[in-house]
Amino acid sequence: SQELEQSPQSLIVQEGKNLTINCTSSKTLYGLYWYKQKYGEGLIFLMMLQKGGEEKSHEKITAKLDEKKQQSSLHITASQPSHAGIYLCGAEDAGGTSYGKLTFGQGTILTVHP
Amino acid sequence: NAGVTQTPKFQVLKTGQSMTLQCAQDMNHNSMYWYRQDPGMGLRLIYYSASEGTTDKGEVPNGYNVSRLNKREFSLRLESAAPSQTSVYFCASSEALAGWIITDTQYFGPGTRLTVL
């Protein structure tokens, strides 16, 4: 089965700083999802990447999928306290009749100090 | 449009007790999923249902049973709770149909925090 490794496991930054979270897969990624979770709440979908080299942005968050489709990065520009939470990457099981089953990384805890 | 709802939000059980976690979605999605989230381990799939009337095991199915009551509802049952089942449980749904649809957004409920003493 596919394994996803996120780094770093936790991150503490000062408000206004940029930061990057990485997600590395042991296998080719067919669909890579980024979710955000606030403590005690469910997961909020951020964006999905599918094609090698693809890059998507929403407000101050940019996600990229590398050409080989085995690594994704999530970059936050000028971080704000509202960005704090747990960021999880999830990936489709490789092709076929996966029915949308996702394998998740262990998560990255982001703290943003005002 | 409530999305995915879960009940209860919190639950404390004693070892050996049973309980059912309820999940419902109002998005007319075909597939539904149960995950558990433990510190340092991310989310792990317990069971999923690709369509009404079908269920399949995920990564960590032992100690759990599920029922896809209808297209809207997917319940998770713990027959004899154990301390190792202390976790946060999330239900999710997606449009994914049986077949080769491989990229589909999953929508998550708010979670159920379960403690087994």
Side-chain angles (χ1 to χ4, degrees):
Chain A
S1 63
Q2 192 160 43
E3 292 184 358
L4 296 177
E5 187 73 28
Q6 284 185 238
S7 62
Q9 292 188 8
S10 64
L11 193 55
I12 302 173
V13 300
Q14 205 67 33
E15 182 176 1
K17 295 294 186 182
N18 303 334
L19 63 103
T20 300
I21 299 169
N22 293 304
C23 176
T24 302
S25 171
S26 58
K27 298 181 180 180
T28 299
L29 295 162
Y30 287 86
L32 189 286
Y33 299 78
W34 282 102
Y35 286 87
K36 178 186 175 184
Q37 181 183 27
K38 290 195 173 183
Y39 181 76
E41 299 180 14
L43 278 69
I44 300 169
F45 171 74
L46 294 176
M47 51 193 84
M48 184 269 285
L49 303 167
Q50 189 177 354
K51 300 177 183 177
E54 187 174 9
E55 179 176 321
K56 289 185 177 179
S57 294
H58 177 67
E59 297 181 345
K60 294 183 178 182
I61 300 176
T62 300
K64 301 178 183 179
L65 183 62
D66 74 348
E67 289 289 344
K68 294 184 178 180
K69 295 173 65 175
Q70 284 196 281
Q71 185 172 41
S72 178
S73 61
L74 186 82
H75 184 78
I76 299 177
T77 303
S79 58
Q80 300 170 350
S82 61
H83 288 128
I86 302 171
Y87 290 81
L88 295 112
C89 63
E92 294 270 358
D93 285 348
T97 55
S98 67
Y99 305 117
K101 289 185 292 179
L102 296 180
T103 300
F104 285 89
Q106 78 275 31
T108 296
I109 302 171
L110 173 63
T111 303
V112 181
H113 286 310
Chain B
N1 190 339
V4 180
T5 57
Q6 292 182 235
T7 56
K9 290 187 177 181
F10 301 93
Q11 184 71 50
V12 179
L13 294 177
K14 294 182 180 179
T15 297
Q17 287 185 317
S18 62
M19 78 161 295
T20 300
L21 280 65
Q22 307 287 353
C23 174
Q25 52 91 9
D26 62 2
M27 296 174 281
N28 201 37
H29 283 169
N30 291 292
S31 296
M32 298 185 74
Y33 314 83
W34 276 106
Y35 293 90
R36 60 178 288 174
Q37 184 179 34
D38 302 292
M41 301 190 73
L43 274 79
R44 292 180 292 169
L45 183 65
I46 305 171
Y47 270 94
Y48 69 99
S49 170
S51 62
E52 185 178 352
T54 67
T55 60
D56 281 287
K57 295 178 181 180
E59 183 183 353
V60 288
N62 292 342
Y64 305 95
N65 285 302
V66 290
S67 295
R68 184 74 182 269
L69 305 170
N70 48 56
K71 193 171 186 180
R72 288 189 64 250
E73 298 171 291
F74 188 37
S75 62
L76 178 72
R77 182 161 179 83
L78 286 71
E79 291 291 351
S80 180
S84 61
Q85 293 178 306
T86 294
S87 187
V88 182
Y89 292 85
F90 289 99
C91 176
S93 71
S94 69
E95 286 191 68
L97 298 170
W100 286 81
I101 296 178
I102 59 172
T103 51
D104 188 27
T105 302
Q106 289 189 16
Y107 296 88
F108 284 77
T112 295
R113 292 185 173 275
L114 175 66
T115 300
V116 182
L117 303 175

